[in-house]
Amino acid sequence: MDPQVLVIFGASGDLAQRKLIPALYHLYKGNFLPEQFAVLGVSRTGYSDDDFRKEVFWENTYIDGGDKDEAFADMLFYQAIDTLSGEDYKKVRQRLEKLDENRKTAGNYIFYLSVPPSLYPKIPAFLAAEGLNNRKKGWKRLVIEKPFGYDRESALKLNKELQQYFLEDQIYRIDHYLGKETVQNLLVARFANGIFEPLWNRNYIHHIEITAAENIGVGKRGGYYDHSGALRDMVQNHLLQVVAHVAMEPPTTADAVSIRNEKLKLFQSLRPIGESEVEKYVIRGQYIGASIKGERVPGYREEEEVDENSTTETYVALKFFIDNWRWADVPFYIRTGKRLPTKATEIVVYFKSPPHHLFRNELDLLNMNNQLIIRVQPDEGMLLKFGMKVPGAGFKVKNVSMDFHYTDLTEADVPEAYQRLIIDVMKGDATLYARGDSVEAAWQFVDPILNAWKNQNNIKLYGYPAGTWGPEVANKLIDGDNVSWRNPCSNLTDSSDYRLL
């Protein structure tokens, strides 16, 4: 791997301490970091190098205990600046030049913007003014966290502003969902297995369902969340990216350009939900106070920094279609919400039943569809459900399961999402990062829903008690008498022996 410096703007903030520095330390312990490597923290806080090392490493409770390594601490450096002052970026340039000289990092820089979105266009402009976007001496890469805009118009504006100073192939839009091992493995499961790929189309699949459930509320993020909501916070980015992995066409090769081209085609194939159709295809809800295991849980409007009359959705369920040859008329369903009974993210592929029900009288029609369940988190793995004959007289059919858990595949330390994504940007592999045109296409699908909620006061916002599976009306989204949402438990296997709520 090339020698390089990772420059973290907002290095004294929460994300750096909770995710970035711990991820880097785990990569260091696993011998994944380049031999010539340094981290330069940049923020307003007036730390020295030693102060920074103490705060984000030695006293960081998010890093596992035990003997922490002095050699890693020696890779950490810090530069205090006013991030809104262009003049101060000279200090960043000078410090990087000194690191190049002392650490032999060859002018290769990653600029990680762990800052409020309002700074996304400003910092690249200031870096460019100091020549820190110039690739004549070493490569330069820019990493930004979501949100990538607030709607399509703001996403277009942000992309245009970023691309004034950095080329698209230098920009890495990080989505930690794409760093999850199970999401990545979707492509392998689909395209490397002859038992799945021939069936992965409208001829054999009845519908596909994606659930991303959280059992916590908004906590201390009420101020942010009240201006975002579940559709912006989860669907537009994380879950549409998962849809792309589930439904995209096979790429010509397994490289970043081919895979991201197919994702864009998929987003462009999403059938638009017009503003007049939103109430038919989209259900929104907001959790209300309830008692869970004898303890009262506050409703969303009671949370810190949330408007007492807020109409922000904490739950959204939607039905949509993909208008292409593979998926014509196959319904897709997404739901996500806070304060649901458990934390779980999974994809359920429902296969069509045989055309003639030979054992109709012996079959549980509510569970007649074969299902492939792909668990993204927790208890990552896959579960295949199919019917078998119960031993004894007659042809009584019962669903049985075959399951695979990722923990069975390896005893090695599997990189956590941020670890994997940081390794990829260090290598210059953009496969798991969102491309600008795909972000815009995803917003184009979501915008009419947001506009309808904003402009049509008659669209209902359903309350649901904390600890339940959301508004009951969401069950009506799913077509057919014999299918309903699969409510996951915290374990992949959902027998009575394993159900944990």
Side-chain angles (χ1 to χ4, degrees):
M1 200 184 301
D2 295 338
Q4 56 194 272
V5 182
L6 174 60
V7 185
I8 302 175
F9 286 90
S12 61
D14 185 58
L15 179 65
Q17 293 212 30
R18 284 191 304 110
K19 294 292 185 181
L20 302 184
I21 300 300
L24 287 167
Y25 186 58
H26 279 94
L27 293 175
Y28 165 78
K29 297 293 282 186
N31 295 316
F32 291 109
L33 296 181
E35 190 173 338
Q36 286 82 37
F37 178 73
V39 175
L40 178 62
V42 179
S43 191
R44 290 172 176 265
T45 309
Y47 288 145
S48 64
D49 288 347
D50 287 339
D51 293 335
F52 181 61
R53 291 165 182 166
K54 180 181 178 182
E55 180 69 20
V56 304
F57 181 62
W58 295 116
E59 296 183 357
N60 190 343
T61 58
Y62 294 100
I63 296 176
D64 294 338
D67 295 331
K68 293 181 179 177
D69 200 318
E70 183 82 41
F72 178 79
D74 290 342
M75 297 179 182
L76 305 178
F77 301 87
Y78 187 81
Q79 180 62 56
I81 68 167
D82 178 355
T83 48
L84 290 174
S85 170
E87 190 69 22
D88 270 15
Y89 285 74
K90 288 181 181 178
K91 299 176 184 177
V92 177
R93 175 176 55 79
Q94 292 166 354
R95 194 69 190 274
L96 286 171
E97 290 170 352
K98 190 173 181 180
L99 286 172
D100 282 341
E101 181 181 342
N102 296 336
R103 309 285 298 191
K104 310 300 181 188
T105 45
N108 297 322
Y109 309 141
I110 298 170
F111 301 107
Y112 197 117
L113 305 192
S114 177
V115 296
S118 60
L119 292 175
Y120 289 171
K122 292 183 171 64
I123 291 176
F126 293 142
L127 292 172
E130 293 298 323
L132 290 173
N133 61 341
N134 193 317
R135 297 197 281 186
K136 289 182 180 178
K137 181 190 174 184
W139 46 255
K140 311 294 185 291
R141 295 168 188 154
L142 183 73
V143 181
I144 65 171
E145 287 272 348
K146 77 174 186 78
F148 315 126
Y150 191 70
D151 51 23
R152 185 169 184 269
E153 182 180 353
S154 60
L156 286 166
K157 183 172 182 287
L158 175 60
N159 282 338
K160 185 176 180 180
E161 290 169 331
L162 293 174
Q163 290 163 5
Q164 287 183 58
Y165 309 108
F166 287 81
L167 300 177
E168 178 60 35
D169 65 2
Q170 294 177 277
I171 302 170
Y172 291 71
R173 298 168 187 84
I174 192 167
D175 184 334
H176 70 268
Y177 250 63
L178 296 186
K180 296 182 185 298
E181 194 70 30
T182 322
V183 176
Q184 299 165 38
N185 203 51
L186 272 169
L187 301 184
V188 176
R190 285 188 56 194
F191 301 130
N193 292 288
I195 61 172
F196 292 136
E197 177 52 30
L199 308 181
W200 214 263
N201 56 60
R202 60 187 170 84
N203 295 320
Y204 299 99
I205 291 178
H206 184 274
H207 70 278
I208 292 177
E209 171 191 314
I210 299 172
T211 293
E214 295 183 85
N215 58 356
I216 59 172
V218 295
K220 295 182 179 179
R221 298 174 68 230
Y224 158 76
Y225 198 90
D226 209 35
H227 292 89
S228 173
L231 191 65
R232 286 188 175 95
D233 190 52
M234 287 293 293
V235 175
Q236 184 276 330
N237 39 70
H238 301 325
L239 297 185
L240 284 183
Q241 288 289 339
V242 173
V243 169
H245 280 239
V246 171
M248 63 186 252
E249 294 298 312
T252 52
T253 57
D255 63 81
V257 173
S258 297
I259 290 174
R260 299 206 293 178
N261 283 346
E262 295 304 333
K263 285 186 181 181
L264 175 61
K265 290 179 189 176
L266 189 281
F267 291 140
Q268 291 171 334
S269 300
L270 295 174
R271 183 187 298 176
I273 298 175
E275 289 189 39
S276 62
E277 301 175 299
V278 166
E279 203 161 19
K280 177 180 177 182
Y281 290 107
V282 185
I283 301 296
R284 60 174 176 165
Q286 186 184 95
Y287 66 84
I288 58 178
S291 179
I292 301 177
K293 295 181 180 179
E295 180 181 344
R296 190 188 183 278
V297 171
Y300 175 70
R301 294 179 184 180
E302 302 171 69
E303 300 279 18
E304 187 178 335
E305 296 186 31
V306 171
D307 187 330
E308 62 181 11
N309 297 310
S310 175
T311 58
T312 298
E313 79 287 355
T314 62
Y315 173 98
V316 62
L318 63 155
K319 172 185 176 181
F320 63 96
F321 295 90
I322 297 171
D323 287 337
N324 61 20
W325 193 272
R326 181 182 294 268
W327 298 114
D329 298 324
V330 175
F332 282 70
Y333 301 92
I334 287 177
R335 65 172 173 172
T336 183
K338 291 189 175 295
R339 286 292 183 202
L340 301 184
T342 192
K343 177 180 175 63
T345 300
E346 66 178 26
I347 302 136
V348 187
V349 180
Y350 290 82
F351 293 95
K352 290 182 176 179
S353 296
H356 174 55
H357 298 306
L358 186 61
F359 307 108
R360 175 181 294 274
N361 293 335
E362 305 290 347
L363 187 64
D364 178 1
L365 292 178
L366 289 175
N367 294 294
M368 59 191 283
N369 297 83
N370 299 141
Q371 300 170 27
L372 176 65
I373 298 153
I374 304 166
R375 176 62 71 91
V376 176
Q377 65 176 8
D379 195 27
E380 295 84 352
M382 299 176 72
L383 181 73
L384 182 63
K385 290 189 168 188
F386 53 94
M388 292 294 288
K389 177 185 176 297
V390 175
F395 287 94
K396 185 175 182 181
V397 180
K398 181 180 180 180
N399 261 353
V400 298
S401 300
M402 292 177 61
D403 61 280
F404 156 74
H405 298 260
Y406 279 94
T407 53
D408 299 335
L409 191 63
T410 178
E411 294 180 1
D413 183 21
V414 178
E416 179 262 346
Y418 270 98
Q419 296 172 39
R420 171 62 193 272
L421 293 169
I422 289 172
I423 291 173
D424 283 356
V425 72
M426 287 179 172
K427 292 178 177 178
D429 183 351
T431 304
L432 299 177
Y433 286 82
R435 200 168 67 187
D437 49 7
S438 289
V439 170
E440 294 167 10
W443 274 119
Q444 186 166 346
F445 175 71
V446 166
D447 262 9
I449 303 171
L450 293 169
N451 291 338
W453 288 348
K454 179 181 177 181
N455 300 326
Q456 300 177 33
N457 295 328
N458 60 321
I459 296 180
K460 296 180 178 66
L461 173 68
Y462 295 93
Y464 63 95
T468 64
W469 281 107
E472 290 186 9
V473 69
N475 294 323
K476 296 180 181 178
L477 279 179
I478 297 188
D479 293 327
D481 298 327
N482 300 318
V483 290
S484 60
W485 292 102
R486 169 185 149 90
N487 293 332
C489 60
S490 59
N491 286 356
L492 171 62
T493 311
D494 64 352
S495 71
S496 59
D497 295 335
Y498 288 89
R499 183 168 296 277
L500 296 174
L501 291 178

